[in-house]
Amino acid sequence: MARIAFILLCHKDPQSIIAQANRLTAAGDYISIHFDARSGDAPYQTIRAALRENPNVTFATKRLKCGWGEWSLVQATLNAIEAAEDAFPQATHFYMVSGDCMSTKTAEYMHDFLDRQEADYIESFDFFDSDWIKTGIKSERLVYRHYFNERTHKKLFYASMDLQRKLGLEREIPSDIRVMIGSQWWCLRRETIEAILRFTRERRDVMRFFSTTWIPDETFFQTLVRHLVPEAQIHNRTLTFLMFTDYGMPVVFYNDHYDLLLSQDYLFARKISPDAHELKARLGDLYAQTGVEFQLSNEGRSLFSFLTERGRIGRRFAQRFWETENSLGRDRELLMVVCKKWHIAKRIVSLIEERTDIPCFQYLFNEQDTPLPDLGGIEKSLEKRSRHRRAWVRMLFEYHGAKRMVICLDNSGFDLIEDFTNDRAATRILEIDCSFTDDYLMGHAKRTGLAGDQTPPEALERLLPTIRSDIEHETDRIHDAGFENHERISETATPAENAAAVARFLGVDEATALEIVQTPDLFSD
């Protein structure tokens, strides 16, 4: 059975550290603690005294003063690993945690999880080819030597880097090393840890290199594991659930996040608020329980993104100059079918294709696999379609040699509607007004990743008013914009009323429009 040696880096709140150590070791696991030397000796001695009689607790071979982004964090981790590797020969796995982490599953579940596969769990992506680093310096982290901390000595940090750049002091990365990057929260097997410790003793050149890189806790272990372990034995993920805001700040979890955390496919969560006493108590009690079954829905990140992005009006970024100056063509007409229920819009579009010669496309800005012609690769990515929206739609016009074309848009695509209506081309909008039952909204939440099959019904019920309000907001926004040539059909309107709107939208006779709107089950789910 798996036995875990937790590697705990911490710098505050001795009482929480003591409680965490006692809780994690009560199930037969181990813990090795590094308490930051910057935090003084008194709290450290408090921790040591409280845990002195616990045989499953050890302490790092040497305490260091740690700084964010510095090599000291990696060295402190290595010191704690060395102590654990020596003190706990029965440990099968080594799991990196912080004082802000808490388990979100039982010890029984964790041991079973780790026993299922012989693998290491560590996030690692190619440093240069991936987009893991979103902002700030990138290659400069490695090719220059960093002796100052960017957070505490910003001027010296950048002056040192600029001087090295001017003097041409870029250094080579060790030739046999492929630098990787990823989260510092990993879980590694004992044999991997032993291989890393041997490597640190044998490859002093690599150690010297990493010791003057910037933020090495995101690259050192990630690189060495990929260098030492076959790829088939590595799972490119962390077992610690953490999220970041779009400002790069970690999301903090509070008392009301208990059910959410348990439903994620992770073993730990970070960061738990120091004030979330109820959450800590409940998670602490959970760890020692047996026979608990967890219903995993894993919707945490998509749900957080949905809730935090609600209410944002307008675009976060201005259009590119090539978007604003491009045009679909003055002599062309774009017909937009706008509907939240995609299956209804697709029925309408299929009927239009049957009864007219107008080229039609379904949700080309929402569905990756919607049928499209080969246009040289730009059609393969939803991101590219949206980014080059006018150029992309103009290419579809040109491909078909058409003057008129129908596309489907979701109600959430207000920026697309607004952008196309501002073009020199003529535009028309057919909005399909639908009703939304609770069952439909529940299905919508699951389809869009806001909930999973195992999400508790009570959690879904709390979410439904927010989803319904969001859909109403999208509709109101379209109506308030006052777009010209805006037609609406509804399942509550008469066939004659709907036919008149479709006739105006398509520019066809009302008999043809009536055939479309009188199709059986047109609005059914």
Side-chain angles (χ1 to χ4, degrees):
M1 184 184 77
R3 298 283 294 276
I4 306 169
F6 294 101
I7 307 301
L8 172 63
L9 264 59
C10 50
H11 66 279
K12 61 182 180 180
D13 199 354
Q15 295 307 317
S16 289
I17 299 306
I18 294 166
Q20 187 178 36
N22 284 327
R23 179 177 62 255
L24 293 177
T25 57
D29 292 314
Y30 313 101
I31 192 166
S32 178
I33 301 172
H34 180 278
F35 192 76
D36 195 334
R38 293 183 190 274
S39 300
D41 194 56
Y44 176 64
Q45 293 304 328
T46 299
I47 296 171
R48 292 205 68 135
L51 299 173
R52 184 177 293 117
E53 303 301 322
N54 190 329
N56 288 11
V57 176
T58 191
F59 292 84
T61 54
K62 180 181 179 180
R63 289 176 68 204
L64 299 176
K65 292 182 178 180
C66 297
W68 187 92
E70 295 179 7
W71 171 254
S72 55
L73 285 173
V74 176
Q75 188 60 61
T77 305
L78 288 171
N79 292 350
I81 289 173
E82 288 173 347
E85 192 263 348
D86 180 61
F88 309 128
Q90 301 303 316
T92 62
H93 294 77
F94 291 66
Y95 195 127
M96 180 78 176
V97 294
S98 77
D100 294 323
C101 295
M102 282 203 70
S103 57
T104 58
K105 302 291 185 293
T106 61
E108 179 183 61
Y109 181 96
M110 289 190 191
H111 297 153
D112 290 344
F113 181 97
L114 295 175
D115 282 336
R116 286 183 215 137
Q117 289 196 5
E118 185 68 17
D120 296 310
Y121 294 86
I122 184 168
E123 194 177 72
S124 55
F125 302 94
D126 187 278
F127 183 92
F128 294 100
D129 293 341
S130 72
D131 63 348
W132 202 86
I133 298 174
K134 302 298 184 184
T135 60
I137 61 174
K138 186 170 183 177
S139 62
E140 294 89 346
R141 289 192 188 189
L142 305 179
V143 301
Y144 297 120
R145 298 164 181 83
H146 299 281
Y147 302 105
F148 304 100
N149 191 299
E150 193 266 350
R151 290 193 168 185
T152 58
H153 298 90
K154 188 180 291 288
K155 289 184 179 179
L156 289 173
F157 179 90
Y158 287 105
S160 171
M161 194 167 62
D162 289 342
L163 180 61
Q164 292 179 69
R165 183 183 290 112
K166 290 176 182 177
L167 295 177
L169 297 179
E170 290 189 13
R171 59 177 170 175
E172 296 292 331
I173 297 170
S175 59
D176 62 330
I177 294 295
R178 179 189 178 197
V179 179
M180 310 296 287
I181 191 168
S183 169
Q184 64 269 53
W185 311 110
W186 41 254
C187 179
L188 305 176
R189 296 166 297 169
R190 185 180 191 90
E191 54 265 39
T192 301
I193 287 294
E194 291 173 344
I196 289 173
L197 293 178
R198 285 196 301 272
F199 186 93
T200 63
R201 294 188 288 267
E202 296 168 359
R203 291 296 301 271
R204 305 311 299 174
D205 60 321
V206 176
M207 299 299 286
R208 285 193 299 272
F209 170 77
F210 275 106
S211 67
T212 52
T213 60
W214 180 236
I215 320 183
D217 54 319
E218 293 179 350
T219 55
F220 179 77
F221 291 99
Q222 296 78 0
T223 299
L224 264 60
V225 171
R226 285 285 176 180
H227 183 73
L228 298 169
V229 179
E231 184 174 357
Q233 298 178 26
I234 301 172
H235 287 188
N236 191 2
R237 59 163 295 190
T238 175
L239 296 180
T240 298
F241 180 62
L242 66 163
M243 297 189 296
F244 291 90
T245 69
D246 53 2
Y247 296 101
M249 300 300 292
V251 173
V252 178
F253 299 108
Y254 296 92
N255 290 335
D256 56 351
H257 286 122
Y258 180 80
D259 291 330
L260 172 75
L261 295 179
L262 265 59
S263 67
Q264 307 311 304
D265 186 20
Y266 295 86
L267 306 184
F268 274 75
R270 184 180 188 277
K271 300 174 121 181
I272 307 299
S273 169
D275 299 321
H277 303 298
E278 179 186 341
L279 176 61
K280 289 184 177 182
R282 296 179 72 185
L283 292 176
D285 292 341
L286 174 70
Y287 189 71
Q289 295 179 27
T290 59
V292 179
E293 293 186 6
F294 295 91
Q295 302 296 323
L296 304 181
S297 54
N298 224 29
E299 77 280 9
R301 287 195 172 91
S302 58
L303 181 59
F304 173 77
S305 177
F306 169 74
L307 294 175
T308 54
E309 290 176 4
R310 286 185 70 248
R312 284 184 176 163
I313 305 299
R315 303 178 193 164
R316 291 185 62 202
F317 302 103
Q319 284 182 290
R320 310 295 188 192
F321 72 92
W322 40 263
E323 285 186 313
T324 57
E325 294 180 1
N326 272 347
S327 172
L328 303 180
R330 189 182 299 276
D331 58 342
R332 291 183 173 132
E333 186 175 42
L334 182 65
L335 309 176
M336 293 173 278
V337 176
V338 179
C339 186
K340 197 68 179 178
K341 291 186 175 181
W342 295 2
H343 57 283
I344 296 178
K346 290 178 180 180
R347 287 188 198 126
I348 294 277
V349 164
S350 296
L351 294 167
I352 292 173
E353 284 185 301
E354 291 176 7
R355 289 165 172 79
T356 71
D357 59 356
I358 306 173
C360 298
F361 295 95
Q362 297 177 5
Y363 285 87
L364 68 168
F365 294 105
N366 302 96
E367 291 187 305
Q368 180 74 39
D369 298 326
T370 193
L372 293 169
D374 183 355
L375 296 175
I378 191 174
E379 78 283 352
K380 297 185 184 301
S381 164
L382 282 175
E383 180 186 3
K384 286 184 179 180
R385 294 179 205 168
S386 296
R387 188 191 314 153
H388 308 294
R389 58 189 64 162
R390 293 195 190 185
W392 157 239
V393 173
R394 188 179 67 250
M395 290 172 69
L396 289 175
F397 272 113
E398 292 170 352
Y399 178 86
H400 286 282
K403 296 296 184 183
R404 307 176 77 214
M405 189 167 70
V406 174
I407 64 172
C408 295
L409 297 176
D410 188 271
N411 294 48
S412 62
F414 180 84
D415 61 328
L416 293 166
I417 301 170
E418 184 180 49
D419 193 19
F420 288 133
T421 56
N422 287 333
D423 191 82
R424 288 190 301 238
T427 56
R428 293 182 179 276
I429 299 170
L430 179 65
E431 181 188 355
I432 303 176
D433 186 17
C434 303
S435 60
F436 300 95
T437 64
D438 285 352
D439 286 342
Y440 177 85
L441 293 180
M442 288 181 182
H444 174 75
K446 293 177 181 179
R447 287 189 296 273
T448 56
L450 299 177
D453 290 336
Q454 304 301 328
T455 299
E458 58 271 19
L460 269 174
E461 289 175 5
R462 289 196 300 269
L463 187 60
L464 290 185
T466 301
I467 298 175
R468 189 180 297 279
S469 175
D470 198 63
I471 292 174
E472 291 173 356
H473 170 74
E474 292 170 353
T475 301
D476 290 343
R477 193 177 177 195
I478 294 171
H479 295 171
D480 293 343
F483 295 121
E484 294 183 0
N485 303 316
H486 181 179
E487 306 292 343
R488 294 178 66 190
I489 64 172
S490 169
E491 56 187 305
T492 60
T494 65
E497 291 171 332
N498 285 339
V502 170
R504 291 191 296 270
F505 172 70
L506 293 175
V508 298
D509 58 78
E510 292 204 10
T512 300
L514 195 59
E515 291 179 10
I516 294 174
V517 300
Q518 284 186 322
T519 300
D521 301 320
L522 182 65
F523 290 96
S524 67
D525 290 333

